[in-house]
Amino acid sequence: MGTGPRPLPGARAGVSASTVSRVLSGVYPVSAATRSRVMRAVREMDYVADARAKAVAGVGTPTLAFVLEDITGPSFAHMARGVEREAARLGHLCLVCSTDGDLRQELDFIETMRAQRAAAVILVGGAADTPEYRERTRRIADSLASAGSRLVLCGRPPLGPGAPVTVIEYDNEGGAYALVARVLAQGHRRVLFLGGKPDHTTAQGRERGYLGAHRARGLEPEPDLLLHGDFTRDSGHRLMRRALERGLDFTAVVAATDMVAAGALTALHEAGLDVPGDVSPAGYARDLRPALTTVHVPYEELGRLAVRTALGHSADSPGEHLLLGTHVVVRNSVAAVGG
């Protein structure tokens, strides 16, 4: 087989090569019907636009992409810093995309990075582990590998054997288990849990840790004490207000993320409750007042490791699965019952 440049998909679309280039560049007027035919041919042929690849290649700096749902949260911001610092150290330009949970935007950005021959694409954050997710993400991994790139999943469900992907996780279940065990050791027996979406893998791991810590002590938490929302400040505030309005009986609360913890603390203060005198909060948070007893997750190192492992593998090498540990940082937000 020849090794020359791959032809443009003009023949399939019934247009000239120059028309295909105009459509892909997006800067020349082209009729809607022509654009539709060209883009259908591009998708069917799994074509990577050389023009866009050359645009980045001409800069002379290799790139990698960091894709996450929301960059405003402190946890993801620390991870982004780790990615950017390690990328810079290794001579790569880092491009960040915040999708706000829009799957179409995520897929479009990944395709752009594939076309630009990014060295790696790092996807961050949990997801619903469904057959559709695995099929879609496996296609992304294979597509990136075909373009000489590497997919890295940070905190997302693995895809199974054989996928050309690197998976890097931290111990969600173990961290939550250790945190709730610490709260229980202080004598609390009614611990409110402010979790995430029930089908979200990160939320599932932390909820398993919450339940496991209770059951290891022969306890079974009341179902009413497990509240589900999402990993945002608004959700933490809303769930805490709901718990207070319902008159739920609890002496401690464990928040599933730093943003949820911040919202929950605001609701407690608004209700005139003393922390930790009336309620003892704990979670995944830093830089809050009072300083929370929390699970430390090495987010920045996670970002650095994602870059190092991605750039250390060929795009089509077998999958690799790495797990980072977590630990509890004891501060002054959890008071002993009766203390």
Side-chain angles (χ1 to χ4, degrees):
M1 297 179 62
T3 58
R6 187 178 179 184
L8 292 169
R12 180 173 296 198
V15 299
S16 67
S18 61
T19 299
V20 173
S21 296
R22 291 190 187 100
V23 170
L24 295 179
S25 70
V27 297
Y28 298 99
V30 179
S31 72
T34 299
R35 180 178 298 278
S36 176
R37 292 203 310 276
V38 170
M39 294 310 299
R40 182 168 60 250
V42 165
R43 289 192 298 271
E44 291 172 351
M45 297 176 67
D46 196 27
Y47 178 76
V48 178
D50 289 338
R52 284 183 286 174
K54 290 175 183 177
V56 170
V59 175
T61 303
T63 63
L64 58 83
F66 180 69
V67 187
L68 70 170
E69 183 172 323
D70 179 13
I71 202 169
T72 61
S75 301
F76 286 156
H78 283 292
M79 191 182 300
R81 182 169 65 180
V83 169
E84 289 180 331
R85 287 182 173 180
E86 192 67 12
R89 188 182 72 83
L90 297 175
H92 283 61
L93 175 68
C94 180
L95 303 178
V96 178
C97 176
S98 178
T99 67
D100 292 324
D102 185 338
L103 178 60
R104 183 70 261 168
Q105 183 178 350
E106 177 179 292
L107 294 175
D108 287 346
F109 183 72
I110 292 170
E111 175 57 25
T112 299
M113 291 299 96
R114 184 176 81 106
Q116 294 177 349
R117 304 295 197 270
V121 174
I122 302 169
L123 298 184
V124 178
D129 191 5
T130 63
E132 292 78 15
Y133 160 81
R134 288 176 177 259
E135 180 183 355
R136 180 181 68 249
T137 310
R138 177 59 187 258
R139 287 200 305 268
I140 291 172
D142 290 339
S143 178
L144 288 170
S146 71
S149 185
R150 179 76 173 184
L151 179 64
V152 182
L153 303 177
C154 285
R156 293 204 178 190
L159 304 181
V165 63
T166 296
V167 178
I168 305 177
E169 297 183 282
Y170 53 87
D171 191 358
N172 269 304
E173 183 173 347
Y177 181 102
L179 178 65
V180 177
R182 170 68 188 183
V183 173
L184 295 174
Q186 293 294 93
H188 296 276
R189 291 297 178 266
R190 298 190 63 81
V191 182
L192 179 68
F193 182 75
L194 305 182
K197 298 176 181 177
D199 64 348
H200 191 278
T201 52
T202 301
Q204 289 171 348
R206 295 179 184 183
E207 185 171 321
R208 286 196 302 269
Y210 168 84
L211 295 172
H214 281 80
R215 291 166 181 166
R217 288 156 180 77
L219 304 171
E220 190 66 34
E222 293 289 336
D224 287 348
L225 294 180
L226 277 80
L227 302 183
H228 298 102
D230 55 43
F231 285 167
T232 64
R233 184 187 185 104
D234 286 346
S235 179
H237 185 266
R238 182 175 62 254
L239 293 178
M240 180 56 72
R241 287 194 60 175
R242 182 188 307 169
L244 296 173
E245 289 167 358
R246 290 179 179 177
L248 295 182
D249 179 20
F250 58 93
T251 61
V253 55
V254 170
T257 72
D258 42 14
M259 299 298 284
V260 172
L265 274 176
T266 299
L268 289 172
H269 292 318
E270 289 173 349
L273 295 172
D274 180 66
V275 174
D278 296 319
V279 179
S280 291
Y284 287 71
R286 312 185 334 171
D287 304 326
L288 295 176
R289 292 293 181 270
L292 295 192
T293 292
T294 185
V295 176
H296 171 73
V297 178
Y299 288 110
E300 187 166 338
E301 175 56 26
L302 191 66
R304 290 180 179 273
L305 185 61
V307 174
R308 290 197 300 270
T309 54
L311 300 183
H313 288 78
S314 63
D316 59 352
S317 61
E320 182 177 22
H321 194 159
L322 306 175
L323 180 67
L324 300 185
T326 59
H327 64 271
V328 173
V329 179
V330 177
R331 299 190 178 100
N332 60 0
S333 69
V334 178
V337 172

